[in-house]
Amino acid sequence: MRLEPPRNSTAAGAPPLIVHIIDQLDVGGLENGLVNLINHMPPGRYRHAIVCLKNATAFRQRLSAPGVDVVSLDKREGKDPLHYLRLYRLLRQLRPSLVHTRNLGCIEAQLLATIAGVRLRVHGEHGRDINDLHGNNRKYRLLRKLMRPLIQHFIAVSVDLGQWLVQAIGAPPASISHIGNGVDSAKFHPRLGPPAVAGPPGFLRHGAYVIGSVGRMAAVKDQLTLVRAFLLLLEQLDPRQRAHLRLMIIGDGPCRQPCLALLAQAGVQHQAWLPGARDDVAQLLRAMDVFALPSLAEGSSNTILEAMATGLPVVATQVGGNAELVRPGRSGALVPPASPELLAAALLDYYRAPELGAQHGACGRRLVLAEHSLAAMAGAYLAVYDRLTGAEAPSPLPTYP
């Protein structure tokens, strides 16, 4: 870890510095949202530094805003008490105006920021993990309650998370803003011609119908349920229809190999493409006909928004913030989690009525343009930062109802 002050350190007349503390800068919805936020903040209003408790991967190259320092503390897995000292020393040297932590794994940094003399402290909740899907873990709740008095403002990416902060953690409603994720609707746009080229030769044969998904292949995303739904769907189709069906899952993680094994066991691996993480997600979305998200828990899904911006109907599980994004009967369908039968039934409806998929996809695109632009997201965060720092002519703070 570099301990000397980066170029973002305090200087006379410089804009206020915001230090964003995250677990690591890697492929993920939280990280994508942070990069989008920094890239779309008005230049010159604030300086930004990202502090990773673990490390930063090549994902950092997606930062296009100038002058953003990324510092890795190289925290070891498990208990690593020395990382607290490294973080304290770094905050003392950077002297930020505001620290913004995200999710449970970083909330202890609120205490370090307080001890280091950082006056303004914000915490964001972006979703829960597989170890605490419903936020009922007593130890985790206690930790959040202990940190609560140190936090001036909370940001929840979904109404569901905002309500939970009030009811379970005791956060004052006036101290919570609901700020949903935004999406780049110019990058993620509907198909303008033939389907994008994707997969090995022959994968997208003429007339192929592609069920797609994008996300970390971790247990909480439950892609195994999507694979099982795909296999059930194949069983319900006649041989001619079955030959046209395709499955595309973009992403990497520990669940990728089990998914591949299940497809191979069923003898349909040639009808599926699971290439791992990709940098051409926008193009690959344009090769899909319907988007599926089988997660067991979600905050506010970036991939749902990207699929909607692409003009795809979305079939998602009714968890977390998904119901705030997908309008059943208008832009997609919601199904219970861990239910391959109901997921397969919803996908079959779109397969049998492609005109319905086109209508719902167009509606989803309109919803994204109206409610989930990157400019709106950046403006909402800017309003929070302005209000806390006392910047001139602050925007109205979007408080949680």
Side-chain angles (χ1 to χ4, degrees):
M1 185 199 76
R2 179 179 59 184
L3 284 177
E4 66 271 12
R7 59 178 172 270
N8 269 329
S9 58
T10 302
L17 171 64
I18 298 174
V19 168
H20 304 267
I21 301 178
I22 60 174
D23 186 56
Q24 64 180 5
L25 190 56
D26 200 355
V27 177
L30 182 157
E31 296 82 1
N32 188 58
L34 172 58
V35 168
N36 281 337
L37 171 63
I38 293 176
N39 286 345
H40 288 83
M41 288 285 278
R45 293 289 297 277
Y46 292 95
R47 293 171 296 135
H48 300 272
I50 300 174
V51 174
C52 309
L53 298 187
K54 293 178 182 174
N55 65 299
T57 69
F59 192 81
R60 65 189 296 171
Q61 295 171 4
R62 300 191 185 188
L63 283 164
S64 60
V68 180
D69 279 287
V70 179
V71 182
S72 298
L73 297 181
D74 302 319
K75 179 181 180 292
R76 298 194 305 269
E77 290 295 334
K79 296 187 181 299
D80 182 9
L82 287 178
H83 96 275
Y84 295 116
L85 177 61
R86 295 193 291 269
L87 177 56
Y88 169 78
R89 293 174 61 190
L90 182 64
L91 290 175
R92 288 288 294 174
Q93 292 180 354
L94 290 176
R95 289 180 289 165
S97 298
L98 185 150
V99 158
H100 186 160
T101 59
R102 287 165 170 83
N103 278 358
L104 178 71
C106 298
I107 198 168
E108 291 172 301
Q110 292 285 335
L111 178 59
L112 276 295
T114 302
I115 297 172
V118 181
R119 187 173 60 87
L120 302 175
R121 299 173 298 275
V122 174
H123 179 70
E125 288 289 345
H126 292 250
R128 308 183 189 102
D129 62 25
I130 192 66
N131 297 316
D132 190 25
L133 292 180
H134 305 291
N136 294 327
N137 185 294
R138 293 178 63 184
K139 183 176 72 173
Y140 296 164
R141 280 195 180 194
L142 177 60
L143 177 58
R144 285 183 168 100
K145 288 180 179 180
L146 289 172
M147 294 297 113
R148 185 190 63 209
L150 306 178
I151 299 168
Q152 276 86 23
H153 204 78
F154 293 87
I155 294 175
V157 297
S158 68
V159 172
D160 171 72
L161 284 170
Q163 292 173 339
W164 174 78
L165 282 170
V166 172
Q167 297 165 4
I169 308 304
S175 73
I176 303 173
S177 292
H178 167 217
I179 304 178
N181 291 329
V183 63
D184 186 342
S185 56
K187 177 180 179 181
F188 294 92
H189 61 78
R191 186 185 300 170
L192 301 177
V197 176
F203 178 71
L204 290 187
R205 56 180 290 180
H206 179 69
Y209 187 87
V210 181
I211 297 167
S213 190
V214 179
R216 289 182 298 112
M217 298 199 70
V220 71
K221 301 299 182 180
D222 198 22
Q223 286 94 349
L224 276 169
T225 285
L226 176 55
V227 172
R228 294 187 178 105
F230 179 71
L231 298 180
L232 289 172
L233 194 53
L234 288 173
E235 292 176 4
Q236 298 175 58
L237 300 176
D238 63 43
R240 181 187 60 82
Q241 294 172 323
R242 192 181 305 134
H244 289 284
L245 204 63
R246 296 291 185 270
L247 176 65
M248 183 189 304
I249 303 178
I250 309 302
D252 206 357
C255 290
R256 181 168 173 262
Q257 286 305 319
C259 287
L260 288 168
L262 186 57
L263 290 162
Q265 182 181 355
V268 297
Q269 63 271 33
H270 62 288
Q271 291 182 250
W273 187 48
L274 285 70
R278 300 275 298 201
D279 290 327
D280 55 346
V281 170
Q283 178 178 335
L284 294 176
L285 281 168
R286 288 190 283 273
M288 300 175 187
D289 293 285
V290 61
F291 184 86
L293 191 76
S295 304
L296 300 175
E298 281 290 342
S300 179
S301 170
N302 280 288
T303 55
I304 283 181
L305 291 174
E306 290 167 357
M308 290 170 63
T310 307
L312 297 176
V314 175
V315 179
T317 46
Q318 193 161 6
V319 298
N322 288 355
E324 299 166 33
L325 302 179
V326 180
R327 312 284 172 88
R330 291 183 58 200
S331 65
L334 293 170
V335 298
S339 179
E341 296 83 4
L342 293 177
L343 179 57
L347 293 170
L348 183 59
D349 287 343
Y350 283 116
Y351 174 76
R352 286 178 170 165
E355 70 284 354
L356 180 67
Q359 292 170 9
H360 286 185
C363 177
R365 170 79 178 176
R366 290 193 298 270
L367 289 170
V368 162
L369 294 176
E371 302 175 12
H372 296 283
S373 70
L374 286 176
M377 179 192 73
Y381 276 94
L382 185 65
V384 172
Y385 297 151
D386 282 351
R387 176 68 61 86
L388 292 173
T389 60
E392 292 184 9
S395 306
L397 182 62
T399 55
Y400 185 81

